[in-house]
């Protein structure tokens, strides 16, 4: 069986929630090139060859990190998505809804970590730090550092972390979550999906010896063209914690979220509606 070498940094099962089934296309805007285009498949959208490949004991392997993604963040995506759909319709909170929300919170936590930009920044930062240290180091230490960065000769990124373990640790540090599911009132409004599956922001939510440490405290996921989920650590609010809720938002709020995701994107955003996407970009350019 062929091992897939093209790895997505926004999961295909997620992108399909923004695919226009009637037209058989997903519509994309590249903000760096100021260019609109469409694709008839999500197979090559928001993906890169060897993105999750690892160098392990002298060999390059392409499966372990992909399997981690599949097992913990993708195989059950559609099942949990349907739970959220049912929750919006019936507004009955159950253990299944709680499990689905936790699933998507973890998916959002690792969103930025999956991107080429993040991986390169982390590897470059580590390399530059060790390169500085080794300037006056022993030959033996330099050899050990060279071994650590041997992956650079054969793979794009180190990919040292398992996504699932990292998500579990960060979620535990966030503590209890307050969610807000926002749905557009106007059927002609659509959420866009950036080339990062979710937005995150940090805050000082735990006490450490170093008081400046900040951790992920907010996650925002455009789950589909019509569903946006916000997660906040309840540690952000102290005693005045808001209630979790489902709310219906006007066009200006939808636009606000979309503008934030346009800014947050590395270079591209995608949308189910060609008309909405073009109008949104035109309006955004006028406002700026």
């Amino acid at each position: 069986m062929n091992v897939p070498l093209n790895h997505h940094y926004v999961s295909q099962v997620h992108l399909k929630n923004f695919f226009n089934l009637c037209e058989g296309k997903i519509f994309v805007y590249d903000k760096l090139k100021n260019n609109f285009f469409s694709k008839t498949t999500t197979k090559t959208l928001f993906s890169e060859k060897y993105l999750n490949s690892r160098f392990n004991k002298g060999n390059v392997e392409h499966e372990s990190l992909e399997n981690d993604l599949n097992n913990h963040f993708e195989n059950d995506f559609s099942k949990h998505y349907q739970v959220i759909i049912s929750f919006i319709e019936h507004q009955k909170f159950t253990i299944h809804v709680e499990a689905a929300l936790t699933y998507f919170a973890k998916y959002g936590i690792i969103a930025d970590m999956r991107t080429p930009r993040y991986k390169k920044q982390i590897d470059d930062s580590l390399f530059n730090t060790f390169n500085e240290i080794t300037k006056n180091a022993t030959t033996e230490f330099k050899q050990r550092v060279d071994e650590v960065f041997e992956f650079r000769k054969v793979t794009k990124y180190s990919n040292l972390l398992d996504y699932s373990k990292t998500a579990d640790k960060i979620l535990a540090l966030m503590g209890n979550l307050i969610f807000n599911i926002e749905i557009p009132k106007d059927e002609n409004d659509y959420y866009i999906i950036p080339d990062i599956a979710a937005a995150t922001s940090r805050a000082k939510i735990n006490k450490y010896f170093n008081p400046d440490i900040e951790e992920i405290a907010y996650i925002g996921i455009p789950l589909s063209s019509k569903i946006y989920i916000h997660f906040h650590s309840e540690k952000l609010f102290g005693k005045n914690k808001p209630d979790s809720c489902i709310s219906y938002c006007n066009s200006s709020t939808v636009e606000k979220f979309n503008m934030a995701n346009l800014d947050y994107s590395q270079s591209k955003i995608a949308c189910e509606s060609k008309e909405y996407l073009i109008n949104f970009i035109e309006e955004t350019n006028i406002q700026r």
Side-chain angles (χ1 to χ4, degrees), residues 47-274:
S47 67
E48 181 179 287
K49 268 195 167 184
Y50 313 116
L51 179 71
N52 291 320
S53 299
R54 282 170 160 169
F55 182 67
N56 186 21
K57 297 179 180 178
N59 297 307
V60 179
E61 58 91 3
H62 311 285
E63 295 183 271
S64 62
L65 201 51
E66 279 289 287
N67 289 339
D68 185 51
L69 272 171
N70 290 333
N71 293 335
H72 297 278
F73 303 98
E74 296 179 336
N75 290 344
D76 292 330
F77 192 103
S78 296
K79 179 185 76 174
H80 288 302
Y81 176 65
Q82 290 304 318
V83 170
I84 298 299
I85 294 290
S86 178
F87 177 49
I88 292 169
E89 181 180 355
H90 302 290
Q91 301 202 15
K92 183 178 180 181
F93 191 83
T94 66
I95 57 171
H96 300 295
V97 174
E98 183 178 18
L101 289 166
T102 300
Y103 181 92
F104 290 124
K106 290 182 181 181
Y107 176 81
I109 284 170
I110 65 162
D112 194 25
M113 302 172 197
R114 296 174 58 182
T115 64
R117 177 177 65 186
Y118 180 92
K119 290 171 184 270
K120 186 177 186 306
Q121 285 176 345
I122 291 297
D123 287 347
D124 287 350
S125 178
L126 286 172
F127 180 78
N128 292 335
T129 298
F130 277 100
N131 194 43
E132 193 66 30
I133 293 172
T134 56
K135 285 182 178 179
N136 298 310
T138 64
T139 302
E140 182 182 359
F141 183 78
K142 288 180 180 179
Q143 288 176 343
R144 290 184 178 180
V145 170
D146 287 341
E147 290 173 5
V148 170
F149 290 98
E150 192 175 359
F151 76 89
R152 293 170 79 101
K153 299 176 183 177
V154 288
T155 59
K156 288 185 174 182
Y157 314 107
S158 61
N159 285 319
L160 297 175
L161 299 177
D162 284 329
Y163 295 131
S164 58
K165 292 178 181 178
T166 302
D168 286 341
K169 289 177 182 177
I170 293 174
L171 186 66
L173 291 169
M174 291 181 75
N176 294 330
L177 300 179
I178 296 168
F179 68 84
N180 183 10
I181 300 174
E182 300 217 48
I183 303 155
K185 291 179 182 178
D186 191 328
E187 64 179 12
N188 295 315
D189 284 334
Y190 297 83
Y191 291 124
I192 62 168
I193 177 77
D195 51 12
I196 303 178
T200 57
S201 64
R202 295 174 175 267
K204 299 173 186 178
I205 55 174
N206 294 300
K207 294 182 179 179
Y208 298 98
F209 182 76
N210 179 353
D212 296 325
I213 293 176
E214 293 186 338
E215 294 160 308
I216 292 177
Y218 164 80
I219 308 160
I221 306 175
L223 191 61
S224 74
S225 295
K226 301 294 184 180
I227 301 173
Y228 207 114
I229 306 182
H230 306 271
F231 297 98
H232 291 87
S233 168
E234 69 173 14
K235 297 177 184 180
L236 288 168
F237 304 100
K239 295 180 180 180
N240 299 315
K241 292 181 291 187
D243 293 328
S244 293
C245 63
I246 298 172
S247 55
Y248 294 83
C249 53
N250 57 30
S251 297
S252 62
T253 300
V254 174
E255 183 179 349
K256 181 184 72 173
F257 296 152
N258 286 339
M259 288 181 70
N261 278 318
L262 174 63
D263 290 338
Y264 194 67
S265 67
Q266 298 176 98
S267 62
K268 300 178 184 69
I269 58 173
C271 186
E272 179 180 335
S273 170
K274 178 181 179 180

